[in-house]
């Protein structure tokens, strides 16, 4: 496909890009759908990720981030971390096109910056927002010792600390309600000012 390009910055996608009539896709498409929570079982998500991942050109700056989240959830922590780096370094390494089809698209990729945060929270920490509360199914990157972030869930502030073999959730003393939390299907209710450490919560990636 690259040999067909007239110009290296040429647009690959619809309606007349070089990839339109091939199995190559410009950016995360069905993989983006897989990034939404609880639509498909993990095995179905993995089969689709396995098909589309090697066929993606990543012409969008958001594509690596989406692949990172889905890779983390479907059992590919190494790929997830590589896509995480690719997403974070888009502007520092200038890896995406400044022009696409003659249109200038340079500058800071702010959406990609936000998506990198989502990789950390929804991918590596495996956080899901559910009707009942919050759940985690974490996979800490192999080179990381600890991951720490704060979230606000329905007005209740929580601090999350993920280490190799544990995930600890601490509720702010100013909270007005308890928050149901589950880690790898183990459930606890975190009262205002309370804290609970889930052992073996963070498996090494």
């Amino acid at each position: 496909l690259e040999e067909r390009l007239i110009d290296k910055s040429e647009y690959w996608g619809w309606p007349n890009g070089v990839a339109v009539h091939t199995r190559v896709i410009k950016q995360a498409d069905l993989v983006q759908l897989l990034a939404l929570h609880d639509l498909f079982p993990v095995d179905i998500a993995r089969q689709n990720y396995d098909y589309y991942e090697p066929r993606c050109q990543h012409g969008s700056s958001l594509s690596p981030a989406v692949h990172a989240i889905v890779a983390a959830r479907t059992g590919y922590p190494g790929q997830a971390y590589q896509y995480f780096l690719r997403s974070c370094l888009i502007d520092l390494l200038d890896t995406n096109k400044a022009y696409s089809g003659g249109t200038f698209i340079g500058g800071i990729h702010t959406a990609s910056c936000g998506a990198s945060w989502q990789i950390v929270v929804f991918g590596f920490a495996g956080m899901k927002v559910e009707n009942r509360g919050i759940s985690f199914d974490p996979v800490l990157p192999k080179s990381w010792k600890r991951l720490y972030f704060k979230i606000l869930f329905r007005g209740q502030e929580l601090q999350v600390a993920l280490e190799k073999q544990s995930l600890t959730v601490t509720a702010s003393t100013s909270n007005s309600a308890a928050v149901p939390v589950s880690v790898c299907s183990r459930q606890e209710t975190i009262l205002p000012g309370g804290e609970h450490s889930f052992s073996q919560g963070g498996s090494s990636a």
Side-chain angles (χ1 to χ4, degrees):
L1 284 177
E2 290 181 340
E3 294 176 356
R4 301 181 196 174
L5 297 176
I6 298 174
D7 184 275
K8 65 179 182 180
S9 65
E10 189 175 325
Y11 188 70
W12 286 44
W14 184 264
N16 55 3
V18 293
V20 169
H21 300 293
T22 73
R23 294 181 180 181
V24 174
I25 55 177
K26 182 180 74 74
Q27 64 191 56
D29 191 345
L30 187 133
V31 177
Q32 171 67 62
L33 183 64
L34 299 177
L36 300 176
H37 296 302
D38 299 327
L39 290 181
F40 305 98
V42 173
D43 60 331
I44 298 298
R46 184 183 297 114
Q47 290 177 40
N48 282 275
Y49 178 86
D50 287 345
Y51 180 85
Y52 284 100
E53 190 273 334
R55 293 170 170 83
C56 187
Q57 185 246 347
H58 300 296
S60 166
S61 61
L62 292 175
S63 190
V66 171
H67 278 72
I69 293 171
V70 177
R73 292 182 186 162
T74 53
Y76 299 113
Q79 282 189 22
Y81 189 63
Q82 291 305 311
Y83 276 123
F84 168 73
L85 293 177
R86 186 169 174 177
S87 179
C88 290
L89 298 174
I90 278 178
D91 292 314
L92 292 176
L93 299 183
D94 194 22
T95 55
N96 269 52
K97 301 173 184 176
Y99 288 87
S100 181
T103 301
F104 179 70
I105 55 172
I108 295 175
H109 294 81
T110 51
S112 184
C113 294
S116 296
W117 182 89
Q118 290 185 336
I119 299 169
V120 172
V121 175
F122 298 126
F124 298 145
M127 189 182 88
K128 292 182 180 180
V129 177
E130 302 171 337
N131 288 333
R132 181 177 180 272
I134 301 176
S135 69
F136 296 90
D137 190 6
V139 182
L140 191 66
K142 190 174 183 178
S143 60
W144 292 8
K145 295 181 179 179
R146 191 171 190 260
L147 170 60
Y148 174 86
F149 59 91
K150 292 182 179 181
I151 56 173
L152 194 65
F153 175 73
R154 296 174 183 167
Q156 312 304 311
E157 183 180 306
L158 299 174
Q159 300 174 8
V160 180
L162 173 61
E163 298 183 4
K164 292 295 184 183
Q165 298 299 328
S166 67
L167 187 146
T168 302
V169 180
T170 306
S172 172
T173 56
S174 62
N175 286 359
S176 59
V179 179
V181 175
S182 68
V183 177
C184 300
S185 300
R186 296 188 299 276
Q187 298 184 354
E188 292 289 340
T189 299
I190 315 299
L191 299 173
E195 177 179 286
H196 186 81
S197 182
F198 297 83
S199 62
Q200 306 298 319
S203 60
S204 176

